[in-house]
Amino acid sequence: MPLVNWFKRKFVVIAGLLTLAYLLLPNVVVTVFSFNKPKGRFNYAWQQFSTEAWKDPCGVSGLCGSLSLSLQIAFWATLGATALGTMIAFALVRYRFRARGAVSSLIFLPMAMPEVVMAASLLTLFLNMGAQLGFWTILIAHIMFCLSFVVTAVKARVMSMDPRLEQAAQDLYAGPLQTFLRVTLPIAAPGIAAGALLAFALSFDDFIITNFNAGSTVTFPMFVWGSAQRGTPVQINVIGTAMFLVAVLIVLTSMVINNRRNKQKA
């Protein structure tokens, strides 16, 4: 009975830890196999411990080129989607205009629509416009589907803001620009940052929409998919592990900064 009672008290914690372990298991496998030295073309079975891939992550032709291209597209798509999404979120929350409800519903359409449908629609649009498929068509497509996620994140933050703080700033003779920069923007910053990080991750990771609208351009997800057909180099695991570690570092840094701010406020 004591064991049963203990399990009941700790059930939520145990379930959470098991779920977290399940989610992180693929990352652990990728990390472990980044130190593998396969005998054949495919890095699917453990053979021998080696750090050769870590010493030369660009040893596979085209890998670092596709990685650089994906990072560039993700960076510019994040800037574009974050700027447009932030303005749209403020407009939907702060202003009343005709068809506001319809616009708000249409914003969420890319999130609900299957990617293959969106990809085929964008390809049809670009072909009808006579646009050459490549970097710019990928960038436009990524900004479009990342926009909805940014709007959702920023809108939730703006809706929770207390308008009396801005009114207090205006009572202290702060102008519109000064109020926005010193009061509104710092409060909305967490939502904007969350939307930007989400947009970057979605853009860097996207394959379906990119594959339809890339033409002869090869991004990192497309390189990984192509490599899987003829052989999986260990360097792919190295890049995946490095990206995962960078993401963890960003999260930990954010947690440390927030904890310090909370302590200073206390």
Side-chain angles (χ1 to χ4, degrees):
M1 289 299 293
L3 181 61
V4 174
N5 293 331
W6 178 87
F7 183 79
K8 288 181 179 179
R9 291 195 305 269
K10 303 295 183 179
F11 176 75
V12 175
V13 177
I14 295 173
L17 292 175
L18 290 175
T19 303
L20 183 62
Y22 176 74
L23 292 173
L24 293 178
L25 182 60
N27 300 96
V28 174
V29 173
V30 169
T31 302
V32 170
F33 276 84
S34 68
F35 294 98
N36 187 29
K37 186 177 181 180
K39 294 180 179 179
R41 295 180 302 167
F42 296 95
N43 186 28
Y44 298 150
W46 181 264
Q47 300 292 337
Q48 181 182 351
F49 179 85
S50 174
T51 58
E52 292 182 3
W54 282 92
K55 294 177 181 178
D56 188 16
C58 296
V60 180
S61 177
L63 189 149
C64 283
S66 63
L67 176 63
S68 175
L69 180 62
S70 286
L71 290 174
Q72 292 179 47
I73 292 174
F75 174 77
W76 291 112
T78 300
L79 283 183
T82 302
L84 292 174
T86 300
M87 291 187 288
I88 292 172
F90 271 95
L92 291 175
V93 175
R94 296 293 181 84
Y95 298 96
R96 299 292 182 267
F97 52 89
R98 290 184 179 179
R100 177 172 171 268
V103 172
S104 183
S105 300
L106 288 173
I107 287 295
F108 297 102
L109 192 59
M111 298 174 62
M113 183 183 299
E115 281 196 37
V116 66
V117 176
M118 189 186 307
S121 301
L122 285 169
L123 176 61
T124 303
L125 173 65
F126 290 138
L127 291 178
N128 287 334
M129 293 176 60
Q132 184 177 359
L133 299 180
F135 178 90
W136 292 107
T137 54
I138 297 174
L139 180 60
I140 293 171
H142 283 205
I143 292 175
M144 197 205 75
F145 78 80
C146 289
L147 192 62
S148 299
F149 296 91
V150 176
V151 171
T152 302
V154 179
K155 185 179 178 183
R157 183 65 179 179
V158 175
M159 290 179 67
S160 65
M161 291 172 56
D162 189 349
R164 290 175 297 182
L165 296 175
E166 295 171 308
Q167 294 172 3
Q170 293 170 359
D171 290 339
L172 295 173
Y173 303 103
L177 180 60
Q178 194 174 16
T179 301
F180 177 78
L181 293 177
R182 295 196 175 187
V183 179
T184 308
L185 188 59
I187 298 175
I192 298 173
L197 290 174
L198 186 59
F200 185 89
L202 290 169
S203 176
F204 180 83
D205 184 60
D206 183 76
F207 172 77
I208 297 177
I209 295 176
T210 304
N211 190 40
F212 270 75
N213 299 280
S216 58
T217 305
V218 179
T219 61
F220 183 69
M222 295 176 64
F223 178 88
V224 173
W225 178 81
S227 298
Q229 312 303 312
R230 55 185 183 274
T232 310
V234 184
Q235 282 81 354
I236 290 178
N237 296 67
V238 173
I239 299 299
T241 303
M243 296 295 294
F244 173 71
L245 293 177
V246 169
V248 171
L249 182 62
I250 292 174
V251 172
L252 292 177
T253 304
S254 176
M255 292 176 61
V256 171
I257 294 174
N258 288 333
N259 289 335
R260 289 182 177 178
R261 288 180 178 177
N262 293 333
K263 289 181 180 180
Q264 290 177 355
K265 290 180 181 179

